[in-house]
Amino acid sequence: VFGHASLTKWLGHTATMDGARTLWGWLLAPAPPADVWDRQAAIEELAGQREWREALAIEGSLTKLGSTDLARFLEWVDTRHSAVPGFMKAAAVTLPAALVVLLVLFLAGVVHAAWGVLPLPANIVLSFVFEWAAFGTFDRVSLGERGLTRYGAMPALVDGASWRPPLLARLQAHARAGGPAPAAVRKLAALAGWSELRAGSAMFHFPIQALTMFDFHVLFAIERWRARSGRTFGIPSCAS
């Protein structure tokens, strides 16, 4: 089963360690008869879909997503906690709003200049303290906007197919559970692009972040995407 000239060598490499563990589990452990019949029916269906399998393989080779990057992304998808403390959601809204209100009042001559920029130091301090945690999330999801967009073609192939075997139908239903997978990938690719402001426009990043706490708004949008669509990309229980 394993080693040189073995079955696993003949089957080839999987894209992720989760996929490898699933395959090893199938090869090493006995399965209930119903599961065996489901898998054989799925294999028989896929065996006759040569063009579909080749298209999926081609799209997979064009994504240029390394197995390590993909594993880190899938690990992030399976987590549910935020990268920053809960109070940051309120701070990211109230502090920039307060800054705008106070600046308007200053320009209207209602308050002193010092009051007009009072929230600004708080924005800067909170950014320095918690931004690195946000960057950690950005690094996990920013596999490259081009790579993510290209990756969207693979779920599109799965989503657009018509499967008769129950196992393939269940896998397709799982892929659709968080909404259409191709649209979810495009949405995440767009959010990943916004998260690159710190690298793509470093000159403007600091003032934009200081005034609006921009990175935290992108972070919370990404985490909302994970809560809504993340399960689409996890390993379904019916495949284990």
Side-chain angles (χ1 to χ4, degrees):
V1 176
F2 296 95
H4 181 68
S6 64
L7 178 59
T8 50
K9 288 289 186 181
W10 182 77
L11 290 173
H13 295 288
T14 59
T16 67
M17 281 305 301
D18 284 330
R21 294 187 188 99
T22 298
L23 177 62
W24 298 340
W26 284 12
L27 295 175
L28 294 176
D35 289 351
V36 174
W37 285 112
D38 277 352
R39 293 171 189 173
Q40 289 180 345
I43 292 170
E44 184 178 359
E45 174 88 358
L46 291 171
Q49 300 285 339
R50 179 177 178 181
E51 291 185 2
W52 185 90
R53 289 186 287 109
E54 289 179 347
L56 187 68
I58 290 171
E59 293 297 343
S61 66
L62 292 175
T63 59
K64 301 184 183 300
L65 298 182
S67 59
T68 301
D69 289 336
L70 185 55
R72 292 182 67 221
F73 170 71
L74 293 175
E75 180 185 5
W76 171 78
V77 163
D78 287 334
T79 62
R80 288 295 174 263
H81 65 273
S82 177
V84 297
F87 73 85
M88 283 301 300
K89 290 185 177 181
V93 173
T94 56
L95 287 174
L99 180 62
V100 171
V101 170
L102 289 173
L103 284 175
V104 170
L105 292 175
F106 163 68
L107 293 175
V110 178
V111 299
H112 190 269
W115 287 98
V117 295
L118 185 62
L120 191 60
N123 289 356
I124 295 173
V125 170
L126 289 174
S127 294
F128 274 112
V129 172
F130 295 113
E131 225 175 18
W132 298 109
F135 291 166
T137 295
F138 294 164
D139 289 341
R140 289 192 178 223
V141 301
S142 294
L143 307 177
E145 187 170 0
R146 178 184 174 187
L148 283 172
T149 304
R150 191 78 211 184
Y151 183 71
M154 298 176 68
L157 286 169
V158 176
D159 191 66
S162 297
W163 304 116
R164 291 173 296 175
L167 177 59
L168 294 179
R170 291 196 298 271
L171 290 171
Q172 187 179 56
H174 173 85
R176 293 173 173 173
V185 170
R186 289 193 297 270
K187 177 65 174 178
L188 185 62
L191 291 172
W194 284 110
S195 75
E196 292 299 320
L197 175 67
R198 69 192 194 279
S201 302
M203 181 184 301
F204 302 104
H205 175 256
F206 177 78
I208 291 174
Q209 175 64 19
L211 293 171
T212 67
M213 304 188 81
F214 175 83
D215 289 333
F216 297 114
H217 293 288
V218 175
L219 172 67
F220 299 140
I222 288 174
E223 291 179 345
R224 286 194 298 271
W225 177 94
R226 180 179 62 184
R228 181 177 60 251
S229 304
R231 57 179 176 167
T232 298
F233 302 92
I235 301 297
S237 57
C238 58
S240 58

